[in-house]
């Protein structure tokens, strides 16, 4: 065989070629990200719209149906599912697999933005985003402190949320627990009837009074100044002094209603309990960091650990941040466990070969063929954009058996020629050439099975792509 003869006659050259592959494979391994599962780009886009107080029928006719009508004209749609619930409209749009998900996102967003003015006045702006089933929190952080829970929530929402969102790979920061500040204005039925104060009109007066708006500009000499009307409420006393027209003349809002600076009703509460040190805290807010589609959970966790001391130094006295859960450790342990199993398989295989061959040099040859092929495979895996996950590592584990089988067959035929009195060089050349076609055919059958699996365009094909192509890369090497 051509490659066998070159290896025999030019061992140094072939050794250098193999070492080059091993070197670049090692560099590829060191540069690969670690993930639990393969990165998948699913062609799914969601549209969520909130219209407070509306029932399912209202959501269906006034929100959901209008959105469905405009987005159905976008090209490449495979299926549309919609859900109209109390105060919420949720639409899931599935595109064909060959549709670019970011183009689909922009197409849907443009269509929805064009009909926003057709929605009821109190409707929140629709949220259009890519649906990622693996978009789960990778790091959970608890903010605790001695300040009131409303101030603690405000600190997390206005400051910490933005600072953690700036970390590379973080797509969203979700807040759980706490209590958002709320100015509550309560009127009883007797006051409303006696003074003939319509609730809708009162809401309009409050909205008009609580408003910042531009007032144009004026020029003085060569300078131009902008004018801005600052009309937002500064404190509760300002709200109490608002004048309200009633059936008995102008009255202040404080005379008609009870006004309190409080928090909104708590529907979700967070409690932190440290089981190791046996202490708990109720006055806490949880911040959950969700990674982007191309984010890396391990790198995000390392960045959070690095920036946490700096953020804590800027917090008010008595406040602290604690990492309560993260997925990076589990991912790293899973990768290490799989790699150790591959290494253990190579070692045990070498012992079995030595037991049957009774020749340590031949055992070393077969034992070296496995790690050299596996390490070299990392070069192509890195070039293909693969990550270190359970599927790609499972592919390497599967390839180990193929590599051992081919090595043993070639080596056994070489030993047969050597037992017939042939020299080492002739035995290596003839022994390899005789079964080269059979070995190549055997390897190609494996490639013929796994290569189509890695090129499937379905969702299952995306999940198994890294597994199957990793087997192909290792087999080729």
């Amino acid at each position: 065989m051509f490659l066998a003869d070159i290896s025999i006659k030019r061992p140094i050259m072939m050794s250098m070629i193999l070492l080059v592959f091993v070197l670049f494979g090692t560099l590829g391994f060191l540069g690969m990200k670690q993930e639990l599962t393969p990165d998948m780009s699913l062609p799914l886009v969601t549209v969520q719209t909130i219209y407070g107080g509306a029932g399912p029928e209202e959501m269906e006719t006034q929100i959901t149906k209008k959105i469905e009508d405009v987005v159905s004209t976008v090209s490449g749609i495979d299926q549309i599912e919609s859900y109209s619930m109390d105060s919420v409209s949720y639409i899931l749009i599935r595109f064909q697999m060959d549709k670019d998900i970011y183009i689909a996102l922009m197409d849907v967003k443009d269509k929805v933005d064009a009909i926003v003015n057709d929605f009821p006045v109190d409707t929140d702006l629709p949220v259009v985003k890519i649906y990622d089933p693996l978009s789960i929190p990778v790091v959970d952080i608890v903010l605790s402190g001695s300040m009131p829970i409303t101030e603690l929530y405000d600190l997390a929402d206005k400051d910490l949320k933005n600072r953690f969102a700036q970390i590379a790979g973080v797509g969203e920061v979700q807040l759980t627990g706490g209590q958002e500040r709320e100015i509550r204005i309560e009127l009883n039925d007797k006051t409303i009837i006696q003074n003939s104060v319509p609730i809708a009109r009162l809401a309009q007066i409050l909205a008009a009074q609580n408003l910042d708006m531009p007032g144009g500009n004026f020029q003085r000499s060569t300078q131009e100044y902008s004018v801005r009307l600052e009309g937002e409420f500064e404190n509760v006393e300002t709200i109490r002094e608002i004048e309200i027209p009633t059936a008995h003349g102008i009255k202040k809002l404080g005379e008609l209603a009870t006004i309190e600076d409080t928090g909104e009703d708590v529907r979700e509460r967070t409690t932190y309990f440290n089981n190791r040190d046996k202490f708990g805290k109720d006055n806490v807010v949880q911040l959950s960091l969700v990674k982007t589609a191309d984010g890396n959970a391990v790198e995000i966790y390392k960045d959070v650990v690095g920036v946490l001391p700096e953020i804590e130094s800027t917090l008010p006295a008595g406040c602290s941040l604690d990492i309560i859960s993260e997925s990076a450790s589990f991912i790293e342990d899973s990768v290490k466990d799989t790699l150790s199993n591959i290494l253990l398989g190579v070692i045990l295989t070498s012992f079995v070969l030595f037991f049957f061959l009774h020749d340590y040099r031949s055992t070393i040859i077969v034992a070296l063929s496995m790690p050299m092929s596996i390490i070299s495979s990392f070069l192509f895996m890195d070039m293909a954009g693969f990550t270190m996950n359970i599927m790609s590592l499972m592919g390497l584990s599967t390839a180990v058996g193929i590599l051992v089988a081919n090595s043993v067959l070639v080596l056994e035929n070489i030993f047969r020629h050597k037992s017939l009195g042939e020299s080492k060089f002739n035995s290596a050349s003839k022994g390899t050439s005789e079964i080269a076609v059979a070995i190549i055919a055997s390897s190609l059958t494996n490639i013929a099975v796994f290569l189509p699996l890695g090129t499937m365009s379905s969702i299952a094909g995306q999940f198994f792509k890294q597994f199957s192509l990793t087997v192909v890369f290792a087999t080729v090497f």
Side-chain angles (χ1 to χ4, degrees):
M1 186 183 178
F2 177 70
L3 285 177
D5 292 338
I6 293 180
S7 302
I8 296 169
K9 298 176 181 178
R10 300 287 187 270
I12 297 178
M13 182 189 72
M14 186 57 68
S15 299
M16 292 299 102
I17 292 175
L18 293 175
L19 288 176
V20 167
F21 280 120
V22 171
L23 174 61
F24 281 98
T26 302
L27 294 176
F29 170 77
L30 297 176
M32 292 175 65
K33 298 189 300 183
Q34 295 183 3
E35 292 286 355
L36 185 61
T37 57
D39 292 331
M40 294 189 297
S41 179
L42 302 181
L44 299 172
V45 175
T46 62
V47 183
Q48 179 177 299
T49 311
I50 297 177
Y51 179 24
E57 293 184 1
E58 294 175 287
M59 296 301 301
E60 171 68 23
T61 57
Q62 300 185 33
I63 305 292
T64 305
K65 187 66 169 61
K66 294 180 180 180
I67 296 177
E68 284 181 339
D69 290 341
V70 295
V71 301
S72 60
T73 60
V74 177
S75 62
I77 291 180
D78 186 32
Q79 183 178 354
I80 298 179
E81 296 181 13
S82 62
Y83 304 89
S84 298
M85 301 164 283
D86 285 334
S87 305
V88 179
S89 168
Y90 189 83
I91 300 176
L92 178 64
I93 308 167
R94 187 173 71 189
F95 290 86
Q96 297 172 0
M97 292 300 299
D98 58 350
K99 178 77 172 182
D100 188 294
I101 186 60
Y102 294 101
I103 295 178
L105 176 67
M106 294 306 300
D107 290 343
V108 173
K109 187 172 179 60
D110 291 341
K111 295 291 185 180
V112 174
D113 289 343
I115 62 168
V116 167
N117 294 331
D118 297 336
F119 295 158
V121 178
D122 297 331
T123 306
D124 294 346
L125 290 176
V127 178
V128 183
K129 63 180 182 179
I130 299 173
Y131 175 72
D132 183 6
L134 302 178
S135 180
I136 57 176
V138 294
V139 180
D140 290 320
I141 304 172
V142 160
L143 169 66
S144 58
S146 55
M147 62 176 60
I149 189 62
T150 53
E151 296 182 15
L152 203 66
Y153 182 89
D154 192 62
L155 174 64
D157 186 41
K158 299 295 192 301
D159 183 20
L160 298 181
K161 186 176 180 180
N162 295 330
R163 299 182 70 173
F164 284 117
Q166 294 174 0
I167 296 176
V170 176
E172 182 184 2
V173 179
Q174 300 173 349
L175 298 183
T176 308
Q179 188 179 30
E180 191 172 0
R181 185 187 181 190
E182 181 179 83
I183 307 298
R184 185 170 299 174
I185 302 174
E186 296 181 350
L187 296 89
N188 56 48
D189 294 340
K190 181 179 179 180
T191 302
I192 294 174
I193 295 172
Q194 287 180 347
N195 294 275
S196 300
V197 181
I199 297 298
R201 185 178 179 186
L202 180 59
Q204 293 175 354
I205 293 174
L206 289 171
Q209 293 282 348
N210 187 34
L211 184 65
D212 284 349
M213 60 185 299
N217 56 71
F218 66 91
Q219 290 183 341
R220 176 177 293 176
S221 183
T222 59
Q223 299 293 323
E224 183 175 303
Y225 301 91
S226 61
V227 179
R228 183 165 176 253
L229 174 63
E230 295 184 355
E232 289 190 350
F233 299 138
E234 295 182 356
N235 48 52
V236 176
E237 288 300 322
T238 306
I239 302 176
R240 290 195 176 99
E241 296 299 320
I242 295 176
E243 296 181 342
I244 306 297
T246 68
H248 306 291
I250 303 298
K251 291 186 178 181
K252 293 182 179 180
L253 183 58
E255 299 174 340
L256 302 173
T258 302
I259 304 174
E260 296 179 338
D261 186 353
T262 180
E264 65 178 9
D265 295 335
V266 177
R267 300 181 181 276
E268 190 173 20
R269 188 181 300 277
T270 299
T271 301
Y272 170 51
F273 182 78
N274 189 327
N275 192 47
R276 180 180 300 173
D277 300 328
K278 303 299 180 183
F279 72 90
K281 299 177 183 178
D282 293 328
N283 198 38
V284 297
V285 178
Q286 179 177 320
L287 297 95
S288 301
L289 277 59
V290 181
K291 74 180 187 68
T292 58
D294 57 347
N296 181 254
V298 178
E299 295 299 325
I300 291 174
Y301 173 67
K302 292 179 181 178
D303 292 340
V304 169
V305 172
V307 78
L308 205 60
E310 178 184 349
I311 296 178
E312 280 191 305
S313 64
T314 62
L315 296 179
C319 293
S320 62
L321 292 169
D322 299 285
I323 298 177
I324 57 172
S325 66
E326 42 83 19
S327 58
S329 298
F330 179 74
I331 292 173
E332 289 182 318
D333 291 342
S334 300
V335 171
K336 290 178 181 177
D337 184 56
T338 308
L339 288 175
S340 63
N341 288 335
I342 294 175
L343 178 61
L344 185 62
V346 172
I347 294 173
L348 292 177
T349 303
S350 301
F351 278 117
V352 172
L353 291 174
F354 181 74
F355 178 78
F356 285 100
L357 295 177
H358 301 290
D359 188 287
Y360 73 92
R361 295 181 64 183
S362 303
T363 303
I364 292 175
I365 293 173
V366 178
L368 284 177
S369 69
M370 291 182 286
M372 291 185 73
S373 301
I374 291 173
I375 295 174
S376 300
S377 301
F378 288 122
L379 171 61
F380 280 177
M381 292 171 64
D382 186 44
M383 293 173 61
F386 292 179
T387 60
M388 298 287 293
N389 56 75
I390 56 175
M391 296 305 295
S392 60
L393 293 175
M394 191 186 302
L396 291 177
S397 302
T398 304
V400 169
I402 302 172
L403 303 176
V404 172
N406 293 344
S407 299
V408 171
L409 288 174
V410 174
L411 195 62
E412 192 278 333
N413 201 42
I414 292 174
F415 263 74
R416 184 179 66 84
H417 279 275
K418 191 176 179 182
S419 64
L420 295 175
E422 298 278 355
S423 65
K424 292 187 292 183
F425 293 103
N426 291 335
S427 299
S429 179
K430 292 181 180 180
T432 306
S433 299
E434 286 179 355
I435 62 171
V437 176
I439 292 296
I440 292 175
S442 174
S443 300
L444 288 177
T445 56
N446 292 301
I447 294 176
V449 170
F450 287 103
L451 188 58
L453 186 64
T455 56
M456 290 194 306
S457 58
S458 62
I459 294 177
Q462 287 203 21
F463 189 76
F464 285 100
K465 176 181 179 180
Q466 297 195 20
F467 165 75
S468 55
L469 291 185
T470 299
V471 176
V472 172
F473 294 156
T475 304
V476 168
F477 272 109

